[in-house]
Amino acid sequence: SSDLWVQIKQNRNTPINLGIIYRPPGQLTELDKDLFNQIDKYTKSKYAIIMGDFNYKNINWTTMESDKEGKLFVENIQNNFLHQKVEHPTRGKNILDLIICNDENLIENVYIGESLADSDHQSIRFNINVKIAIIENRTLVPNFRRANFEDLRLSLGRINWEEELRNKTVEEMWEKFESKLKKATHESVPYIEKRTKQATNKWVNHEPKTLLIKKKHAYKVFKRTSAEDDKQRYHSLRRNVKKEI
């Protein structure tokens, strides 16, 4: 199996251990035990969330009954007092993709959505109840649009550079020049708070965004009606999204 673990920091609260796991079908028992040891380790913290494709297709998450392959996994979940939050199939008629947490109130609003691109698994959306520490960016940067360049030139021109740089190494001369330039800039150029630009996905332009919205809506309609026409419309939009992306 493959796994990745990170921590989500909260405002003055215990961080959340977040794990993403892929377990291939029919994995050897010894490798499963290594996976269970990882789960044991990271769920001992106050808050932990584990999600991923576990490929246990014969577990009944209502009764917690399983075949031989999933029996040890179910026991691991129960021994660690964990909660499995996905209640509906994520691939065909099977619940293969799971969201597991050690605090039942940590996860809410779990929604099984449409598949992404050519994947045969459904997407899962959910909310994590956390209080994220948002640190405001107060970095000050020079605002050269409002700079007084004439004053800057005069200030630099009044410096006796020959005297300032005499008997210095190249590195010392650079440090002296940089120091004088920063001082003159600070006096002649106003400073403003640096704006943080919101990250955007440059590969997603207007056309793919529109198709993604239509595909999501078509999937909801198909799930509600189960009509063949709605199914065909969803699959058609899915193919179009794949071509665009």
Side-chain angles (χ1 to χ4, degrees):
S1 60
S2 302
D3 59 279
L4 173 68
W5 297 88
V6 297
Q7 279 195 335
I8 299 177
K9 293 185 178 180
Q10 302 186 81
N11 292 347
R12 299 180 181 180
N13 289 329
T14 305
I16 298 174
N17 285 337
L18 182 65
I20 301 174
I21 290 173
Y22 172 72
R23 175 191 173 276
Q27 179 168 261
L28 295 175
T29 301
E30 289 303 313
L31 295 178
D32 274 344
K33 289 180 179 179
D34 291 338
L35 172 61
F36 302 157
N37 288 336
Q38 289 288 87
I39 294 174
D40 292 342
K41 174 182 175 181
Y42 286 102
T43 56
K44 290 188 185 302
S45 66
K46 185 175 181 180
Y47 301 114
I49 300 171
I50 305 169
M51 53 189 152
D53 180 3
F54 287 80
N55 281 301
Y56 287 114
K57 63 181 181 179
N58 292 318
I59 296 178
N60 184 323
W61 289 105
T62 301
T63 63
M64 300 301 287
E65 296 176 343
S66 174
D67 61 359
K68 184 178 179 180
E69 182 182 17
K71 183 179 179 181
L72 291 178
F73 180 63
V74 171
E75 290 179 359
N76 182 263
I77 295 294
Q78 293 176 323
N79 291 340
N80 286 296
F81 302 99
L82 304 178
H83 307 273
Q84 203 289 111
K85 305 293 284 188
V86 179
E87 299 177 350
H88 301 287
T90 61
R91 182 179 182 274
K93 297 181 179 180
N94 301 311
I95 301 178
L96 302 183
D97 306 278
L98 311 177
I99 303 172
I100 300 165
C101 55
N102 59 358
D103 184 330
E104 193 170 12
N105 298 317
L106 200 54
I107 299 295
E108 63 180 16
N109 300 327
V110 177
Y111 172 75
I112 310 301
E114 72 283 5
S115 60
L116 299 177
D118 57 349
S119 172
D120 57 357
H121 289 246
Q122 307 303 113
S123 61
I124 304 177
R125 298 179 179 88
F126 58 95
N127 293 336
I128 304 176
N129 290 321
V130 295
K131 296 179 180 179
I132 301 297
I134 300 175
I135 302 174
E136 294 186 12
N137 187 354
R138 296 292 183 180
T139 304
L140 296 178
V141 295
N143 182 10
F144 287 105
R145 291 185 178 182
R146 297 184 177 275
N148 186 338
F149 288 105
E150 182 62 26
D151 187 51
L152 180 60
R153 280 191 290 268
L154 290 173
S155 180
L156 293 173
R158 288 192 290 266
I159 299 173
N160 187 338
W161 291 107
E162 185 177 353
E163 179 66 27
E164 293 288 346
L165 304 179
R166 182 179 294 131
N167 299 324
K168 288 182 171 56
T169 65
V170 173
E171 184 176 351
E172 290 171 338
M173 285 191 288
W174 167 250
E175 290 176 352
K176 175 62 72 172
F177 172 76
E178 185 181 34
S179 174
K180 293 292 184 181
L181 179 60
K182 284 184 177 180
K183 184 175 184 298
T185 301
H186 188 75
E187 294 172 348
S188 305
V189 181
Y191 281 70
I192 58 173
E193 289 185 5
K194 181 179 181 180
R195 293 182 180 178
T196 302
K197 293 184 179 180
Q198 185 175 356
T200 57
N201 292 323
K202 295 183 179 180
W203 58 271
V204 182
N205 56 32
H206 178 72
E207 185 66 23
K209 282 184 178 179
T210 302
L211 284 174
L212 285 168
I213 292 172
K214 288 182 178 179
K215 187 189 80 164
K216 183 177 178 180
H217 176 71
Y219 177 78
K220 288 182 178 179
V221 172
F222 167 58
K223 291 294 287 184
R224 186 175 67 251
T225 66
S226 297
E228 185 62 27
D229 288 346
D230 292 332
K231 178 182 178 180
Q232 293 302 323
R233 173 172 169 73
Y234 164 65
H235 283 295
S236 175
L237 286 167
R238 180 180 172 184
R239 287 191 296 270
N240 291 339
V241 168
K242 184 181 177 181
K243 288 179 183 178
E244 287 291 330
I245 295 178

